[in-house]
Amino acid sequence: MSIRFTAKARRGMVALTVAAGLALGAAGCSGGGDNDDKSSPSASAPGNSGSKPSAQEGDKQTPLAELKGTDGLLLQVTSARRDAGGFVTVSGNLKNDGDESVAIPAQTSGDETEVIKHGQSLGGATLVDSKGKKRYYVLRDTDGRPLTTTGLTTLAAGQTLPVFMQFPSPPTGTTDVALQLPTFSSGSIKISG
């Protein structure tokens, strides 16, 4: 099952991506830009398009889901918000719960050549709507870059890294979906907004 976009929809997503990038630049946010420094991950989420923060967000909130990975890795999902632009942003923290540094598995990038060529990311993540029998893949820009945290390498013992992933939005009536990320357990999350 895959999602195909018309040329008009692709142009709309490109415009949305550009607008979010401009909003980040105007807000003075650092990271997430098109710089050549690949040494640190990009975890800047796109602009919120004026939407209010979810009550589910914040470091002290109970996660929506916890996906356990290999070697003590843990993905804590803190929010899954539907935005007016036709996409869902899933945010959370990638944590190393182990006692030693651990490399982020290459499989988290997925197996699509277009995504892999842009470096290690969470581009292999999917949202699964089992009721609607559809799978939603991480969005990409026109150059094939995944709209997710990129530049992942290793996490030191106890280190936590904020992460995000953007997906096409399921129909508004769909709120319960499963988040899947290669090498991690699957987790059920509820989309707000």
Side-chain angles (χ1 to χ4, degrees):
M1 293 183 259
S2 67
I3 299 175
R4 298 187 188 267
F5 293 101
T6 64
K8 184 176 181 182
R10 269 188 244 126
R11 285 191 303 273
M13 286 193 311
V14 170
L16 177 63
T17 303
V18 170
L22 291 174
L24 280 174
C29 294
S30 64
D34 267 348
N35 59 18
D36 292 328
D37 179 18
K38 302 296 182 198
S39 63
S40 63
S42 169
S44 298
N48 291 335
S49 305
S51 59
K52 296 178 183 173
S54 167
Q56 297 168 339
E57 291 181 31
D59 296 336
K60 299 186 192 302
Q61 295 291 331
T62 303
L64 296 177
E66 290 189 342
L67 286 63
K68 293 186 180 190
T70 56
D71 300 322
L73 288 174
L74 181 67
L75 176 61
Q76 298 172 317
V77 179
T78 55
S79 72
R81 188 177 55 234
R82 190 183 320 265
D83 292 306
F87 55 90
V88 169
T89 301
V90 176
S91 300
N93 296 300
L94 185 58
K95 182 178 182 183
N96 178 358
D97 256 355
D99 295 331
E100 297 180 12
S101 288
V102 64
I104 309 298
Q107 295 92 327
T108 60
S109 296
D111 56 9
E112 294 183 38
T113 308
E114 233 3 79
V115 173
I116 294 172
K117 76 178 185 181
H118 294 290
Q120 187 134 354
S121 69
L122 300 178
T126 58
L127 286 183
V128 179
D129 172 10
S130 56
K131 192 174 183 181
K133 299 182 185 339
K134 290 190 178 181
R135 180 180 303 267
Y136 298 89
Y137 294 88
V138 169
L139 290 168
R140 289 127 178 103
D141 68 13
T142 55
D143 292 326
R145 286 185 206 86
L147 299 183
T148 181
T149 305
T150 59
L152 303 172
T153 55
T154 60
L155 286 178
Q159 183 180 0
T160 300
L161 176 71
V163 295
F164 79 97
M165 297 156 270
Q166 285 192 323
F167 302 90
S169 180
T172 53
T174 301
T175 56
D176 295 312
V177 294
L179 175 64
Q180 297 179 342
L181 180 65
T183 75
F184 284 77
S185 60
S186 180
S188 295
I189 59 174
K190 188 174 279 295
I191 299 171
S192 63

